[in-house]
């Protein structure tokens, strides 16, 4: 077995700490990767603290991985040692259901294998994520990272980037449309950048008035403080599409009434507690849609990475050594993230 050093949780109520664990040795179709950087997603925190009630301990979070290939199996054709590559939220899926056939592995009818806290298809154990020295992933789920992208700033594209890109593309966001992004955190800041690059008029909704200047710099055309009823009212019935990234329960009605006839609000935020039920009349009176979306497929993740390389788009990051991961989680809970923490994995090696 391949030895791995990382950071993980052994209990919902204790801080993350250093862990040693094993991964499968690379098989013929596997790529072995030395991890350089790993972004910190709010889903990591939800999982480490068992907020979704499905965590199997020990858990090693991290699904925004950029690293360098260190070895490949003899059937691997697309990668060679030395390549800079990415791994996102999935490391496997059944590959034969309708969703997999359509390149929508995230909706695999037999359940995709999460990069962490998932059931390993090969060894039968659990998967461990990217807060670690290395990872082994089947070739199909490894992404190419262009040398035009800074590898650390590219890491958050593997989750925050694709989770916002996929719904923006699915609902055909583009020129001439008024698009709202709710919440300026990791997902939200990528949502602003990508919606802006796709040509939409972008409005950020935030609970943090202090983030206004940053939002404009990131590509927002307007900023609305969502707790200010007057500011919200000024936008009633005007949005084509709203992407809601908020990680906590809140009133969906406050945003549904801002959609114009047949507009859509898509939820990507996944709070542990449910939102209060929206008023059905806010949907039926204007044939509005309330929807959800999960990360994105492998092909569209590559498409997003290539789009970002071409358009010079990456994440605005704050680099941390892995020893600061627990402080980073606390700051994330206070909405104090500008706008994605990325772990420099060299700090892990320095610790051994
Ligand atoms: P994050 O960096 O913590 O950002 C969340 C933002 O939501 C905050 O910065 C804040 O923005 C806003 N917010 C937080 N608490 C709020 C509250 N009580 N009321 C209103 N707004 C609040 O988190 P993230 O990494 O972007 O992830 C966001 C959510 O998406 C998480 O639940 C995560 O698990 C989920 N997620 C889903 C998918 C998917 O496939 N659907 C993928 C990845 C992550 P302001 O300061 O601007 O208000
Ligand atoms: Zn994530």
């Amino acid at each position: 077995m391949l030895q791995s050093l990382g950071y993980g949780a052994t209990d919902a109520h204790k801080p993350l700490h250093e862990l040693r664990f094993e991964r499968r040795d690379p098989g013929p179709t596997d790529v072995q990767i030395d991890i350089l950087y790993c972004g910190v997603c709010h889903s990591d925190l939800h999982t480490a603290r068992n907020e979704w009630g499905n965590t199997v301990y020990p858990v090693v979070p991290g699904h925004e991985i950029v690293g360098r290939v260190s070895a490949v199996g003899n059937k691997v054709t697309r990668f060679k040692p030395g390549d800079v590559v990415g791994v996102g939220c999935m490391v496997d899926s059944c590959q034969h259901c309708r969703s997999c056939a359509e390149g929508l592995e995230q909706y695999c009818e037999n359940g995709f294998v999460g990069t962490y806290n998932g059931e390993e298809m090969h060894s039968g154990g659990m998967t461990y994520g990217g807060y670690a020295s290395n990872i082994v992933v089947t070739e199909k789920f490894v992404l190419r990272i262009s040398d035009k992208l800074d590898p650390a700033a590219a890491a958050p594209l593997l989750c925050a980037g694709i989770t916002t890109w996929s719904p923006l593309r699915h609902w055909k966001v583009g020129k001439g449309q008024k698009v709202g992004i709710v919440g300026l955190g990791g997902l939200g800041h990528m949502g602003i950048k990508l919606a802006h690059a796709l040509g939409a008029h972008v409005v950020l909704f935030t609970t943090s008035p202090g983030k206004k200047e940053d939002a404009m710099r990131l590509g927002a055309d307007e900023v609305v403080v969502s707790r200010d009823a007057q500011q919200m009212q000024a936008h009633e019935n005007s949005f084509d599409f709203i992407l809601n990234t908020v990680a906590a329960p809140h009133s969906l009605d406050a945003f549904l009434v801002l959609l114009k006839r047949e507009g859509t609000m898509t939820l990507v935020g996944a709070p542990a507690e449910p939102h209060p039920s929206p008023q059905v009349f806010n949907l039926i009176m204007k044939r509005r849609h309330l929807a959800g979306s999960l990360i994105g497929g492998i092909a569209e993740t590559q498409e997003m990475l290539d789009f970002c390389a071409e358009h010079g788009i990456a994440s605005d990051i704050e680099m941390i050594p892995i020893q600061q991961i627990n402080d980073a989680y606390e700051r994330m809970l206070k909405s104090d993230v500008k706008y994605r923490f990325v772990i420099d994995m060299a700090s892990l090696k320095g610790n051994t």
Side-chain angles (χ1 to χ4, degrees):
M1 297 287 269
L2 180 69
Q3 302 301 308
S4 204
L5 174 67
Y7 256 58
T10 43
D11 181 297
H13 307 289
K14 294 206 185 103
L16 274 67
H17 56 88
E18 195 174 290
L19 284 175
R20 282 175 194 281
F21 57 97
E22 294 181 331
R23 303 189 185 270
R24 70 171 187 264
D25 283 320
T29 59
D30 281 335
V31 178
Q32 183 177 325
I33 301 162
D34 284 339
I35 299 176
L36 299 169
Y37 302 104
C38 186
V40 178
C41 177
H42 207 112
S43 301
D44 301 349
L45 187 161
H46 289 308
T47 306
R49 300 188 177 179
N50 197 20
E51 292 177 355
W52 293 330
N54 65 349
T55 305
V56 177
Y57 293 98
V59 66
V60 176
H63 57 206
E64 294 184 337
I65 299 166
V66 169
R68 199 177 290 283
V69 174
S70 58
V72 295
N74 59 15
K75 293 211 172 108
V76 170
T77 57
R78 290 165 47 233
F79 302 103
K80 59 178 189 319
D83 289 352
V84 174
V85 294
V87 178
C89 305
M90 303 182 284
V91 289
D92 241 322
S93 69
C94 84
Q95 297 296 310
H96 55 70
C97 72
R98 189 170 67 97
S99 294
C100 286
E102 289 176 31
L104 297 170
E105 299 88 353
Q106 74 275 32
Y107 304 117
C108 174
E109 322 285 326
N110 298 300
F112 71 87
V113 180
T115 301
Y116 59 82
N117 201 46
E119 283 179 39
E120 237 268 6
M121 275 184 175
H122 302 255
S123 66
M126 297 298 287
T127 57
Y128 299 112
Y131 298 2
S133 52
N134 56 24
I135 192 164
V136 175
V137 181
T138 189
E139 176 177 24
K140 165 95 215 264
F141 285 78
V142 179
L143 285 310
R144 288 186 312 278
I145 304 284
S146 161
D147 57 13
K148 287 190 199 151
L149 286 169
D150 172 66
L157 301 178
L158 277 309
C159 175
I162 186 57
T163 301
T164 49
W165 173 262
S166 181
L168 291 172
R169 298 287 287 164
H170 181 76
W171 277 278
K172 300 188 168 49
V173 161
K175 276 198 179 57
Q177 290 187 0
K178 185 173 170 185
V179 170
I181 304 289
V182 189
L184 185 48
L187 267 54
H189 94 291
M190 287 314 308
I192 292 179
K193 288 188 185 209
L194 294 172
H196 173 75
L198 290 168
H201 178 90
V202 183
V203 181
L204 171 75
F205 295 96
T206 181
T207 59
S208 309
K211 291 180 182 172
K212 180 170 180 179
E213 273 180 33
D214 282 350
M216 303 295 280
R217 176 177 55 78
L218 293 165
D221 298 287
E222 296 179 63
V223 175
V224 171
V225 176
S226 54
R227 287 180 176 148
D228 181 329
Q230 237 177 338
Q231 283 189 40
M232 291 290 276
Q233 208 174 10
H235 290 270
E236 271 180 15
N237 298 318
S238 66
F239 280 86
D240 296 281
F241 184 74
I242 297 177
L243 186 64
N244 188 329
T245 76
V246 173
H250 61 279
S251 164
L252 300 181
D253 286 310
F255 298 102
L256 286 174
V257 297
L258 307 187
L259 292 171
K260 63 187 190 196
R261 198 194 75 216
E262 281 143 31
T264 297
M265 175 158 77
T266 296
L267 307 179
V268 286
E273 301 298 325
H275 297 295
S277 172
Q279 287 293 336
V280 172
F281 278 97
N282 284 335
L283 297 171
I284 62 181
M285 297 305 282
K286 294 216 177 278
R287 196 150 64 181
R288 293 175 175 125
H289 308 250
L290 178 60
S293 183
L294 176 68
I295 46 175
I298 294 299
E300 63 179 336
T301 303
Q302 191 64 62
E303 175 194 78
M304 175 274 312
L305 287 166
D306 296 346
F307 178 91
C308 287
E310 198 181 309
H311 290 80
I313 296 173
S315 182
D316 283 30
I317 65 167
E318 179 175 341
M319 191 98 84
I320 58 164
I322 199 158
Q323 294 77 9
Q324 282 176 20
I325 186 63
N326 295 296
D327 299 331
Y329 279 8
E330 291 310 313
R331 284 183 52 195
M332 192 147 66
L333 286 173
K334 288 188 236 153
S335 302
D336 177 23
V337 182
K338 299 206 170 143
Y339 279 91
R340 197 59 141 184
F341 292 112
V342 170
I343 303 165
D344 180 357
M345 219 50 72
S347 62
L348 182 64
K349 293 190 188 99
N351 203 26
T352 55

